[in-house]
Amino acid sequence: MTESARASWMIGEGKSLPPEFDDGVVWAAWLYYVDQLTQSDIAKILGMSRATIVNYLQEARERGLVTIRVNTDVGGRVAVARKLKEKFGLEGALVIPAGEPASLVTRLGEAGARLLADMIKQGDTIGVAWGRTVLAVADQISLAEALDGLTVVQVSGSSIANPEFSPEFCTSLMSQRIHARCVNLLAPALLSTPELKRWLLSEPVLVKQFELIHSTNILVFGVGDIGPDTLIRSANVASQEDFDSYQAHGAVAVLICRFIDEAGRQVSGELDDRMVGIELDELVRIPSRVCVAGGANKVTAIRATMNGGYATHLVTDIETAEMLLAEGV
């Protein structure tokens, strides 16, 4: 077969092969990988079926006309994410690249927003905690298409401190971004006595709000350590002596105002019977639980959260991920 005959055979009848291409396989590969046309569009141009174009693209790879390379940085992060899933029994993990420490919260929020947006379906009820990272997720989330029947619910009580990333603000912002019904929890995070908590939670409006919290099928939350500069201490939810007491009893992390030790077990204390919000045993019953957290100062807290099985999905940065995977750290 002559070259001209072969070129004609490689494209549809009545179609002319451009002079710069050797055959239809090369032309199809160029249109797909360089011009970034769809396989359907290429099929129309070449006068062939889409199935034939698929075969042409496969032949282009087999003949070495096309070489597909994955960026080593991306490949490394994918490998680390898979190791995180295996080590901690996660359903999913997203690891972002290294960057400026000052922008870590924003970058984690953007990644968490992308992951969460992919998970949300029509009719979902999304539980929202609080904190800088959760706020960054809420601020950057957007859905590819409008979904009906979405509800965003606050899962921890309110606090007058840190209003810029309070539970009610995080909840309100996310509901606005995804055009969902917003339900704020109409109670303080910490009450003065256990008796007051029992009385308040028996109110019909709060009973209904907690029923909604218990129907949550997706939860997004962050993790805090309980060192001297931690967010939970600056929120003035309780006294410094209260936090010191939990720390003295082995607490290394705070998870939606609940304290856990290195193994992920809850550390009980005087505040628990006065705290308003989702309990840890309720949290783990939520089908999808997205933890968004990173930074060297939070490695111990994040590991405790993973050890306790509180997350089904983790969004973190590469440095934190590598420390989480390291033994004895």
Side-chain angles (χ1 to χ4, degrees):
M1 181 181 294
T2 64
E3 284 298 311
S4 60
R6 180 172 182 270
S8 297
W9 176 76
M10 294 294 286
I11 60 176
E13 184 177 353
K15 301 292 182 177
S16 299
L17 185 72
E20 63 268 31
F21 295 105
D22 295 331
D23 59 46
V25 172
V26 178
W27 190 18
W30 182 275
L31 292 172
Y32 187 71
Y33 291 104
V34 181
D35 290 346
Q36 296 187 335
L37 299 183
T38 66
Q39 293 173 359
S40 297
D41 288 340
I42 298 169
K44 293 177 183 177
I45 293 171
L46 271 65
M48 296 176 169
S49 68
R50 183 176 175 275
T52 301
I53 298 303
V54 171
N55 292 333
Y56 275 17
L57 296 176
Q58 176 64 32
E59 182 180 340
R61 292 191 291 270
E62 292 173 351
R63 287 165 55 183
L65 302 175
V66 174
T67 302
I68 300 174
R69 294 192 303 173
V70 177
N71 181 281
T72 54
D73 174 62
V74 174
R77 286 187 286 114
V78 169
V80 169
R82 287 178 174 175
K83 290 179 181 178
L84 286 173
K85 289 172 60 178
E86 181 179 353
K87 179 171 183 176
F88 297 113
L90 298 168
E91 294 178 20
L94 179 57
V95 178
I96 66 172
E100 291 296 326
S103 68
L104 179 59
V105 169
T106 300
R107 293 186 293 112
L108 285 171
E110 191 276 332
R114 285 191 284 112
L115 176 63
L116 186 61
D118 288 341
M119 296 172 68
I120 295 175
K121 307 180 299 300
Q122 181 173 309
D124 279 343
T125 299
I126 302 108
V128 175
W130 65 285
R132 294 188 181 93
T133 308
V134 173
L135 178 64
V137 173
D139 189 41
Q140 299 181 75
I141 192 170
S142 63
L143 301 181
E145 59 180 345
L147 298 174
D148 294 330
L150 297 180
T151 299
V152 175
V153 60
Q154 179 181 329
V155 298
S156 63
S158 301
S159 170
I160 60 173
N162 298 323
E164 65 272 22
F165 43 81
S166 65
E168 55 271 32
F169 183 56
C170 292
T171 306
S172 301
L173 182 59
M174 181 171 292
S175 64
Q176 177 185 349
R177 290 285 192 265
I178 64 174
H179 306 288
R181 170 194 179 199
C182 177
V183 179
N184 290 119
L185 183 53
L186 304 176
L190 186 67
L191 295 170
S192 57
T193 66
E195 292 75 21
L196 178 58
K197 176 183 173 180
R198 287 193 292 270
W199 175 80
L200 187 62
L201 294 189
S202 67
E203 284 294 302
V205 64
L206 284 175
V207 170
K208 289 185 178 298
Q209 287 183 330
F210 269 89
E211 287 175 353
L212 193 56
I213 289 174
H214 298 154
S215 70
T216 296
N217 60 302
I218 301 176
L219 174 69
V220 57
F221 65 96
V223 177
D225 67 293
I226 59 170
D229 300 320
T230 186
L231 183 62
I232 187 68
R233 288 180 182 265
S234 66
N236 296 321
V237 173
S239 70
Q240 300 303 313
E241 290 74 17
D242 288 323
F243 295 120
D244 291 341
S245 175
Y246 278 93
Q247 194 168 23
H249 286 85
V252 299
V254 59
L255 189 60
I256 317 183
C257 295
R258 307 291 173 177
F259 298 87
I260 58 174
D261 64 15
E262 290 183 349
R265 298 178 296 249
Q266 182 167 1
V267 176
S268 298
E270 191 271 334
L271 298 181
D272 295 287
D273 290 335
R274 298 191 285 128
M275 196 74 70
V276 176
I278 192 169
E279 303 276 358
L280 292 182
D281 61 342
E282 297 169 337
L283 184 153
V284 296
R285 292 198 290 269
I286 296 174
S288 297
R289 308 179 298 277
V290 181
C291 175
V292 185
N297 61 315
K298 289 192 175 183
V299 170
T300 298
I302 298 170
R303 182 183 286 111
T305 302
M306 299 300 106
N307 288 340
Y310 298 111
T312 59
H313 297 73
L314 173 64
V315 179
T316 193
D317 60 287
I318 184 66
E319 293 95 341
T320 301
E322 289 174 341
M323 285 188 280
L324 287 171
L325 292 172
E327 296 296 333
V329 177

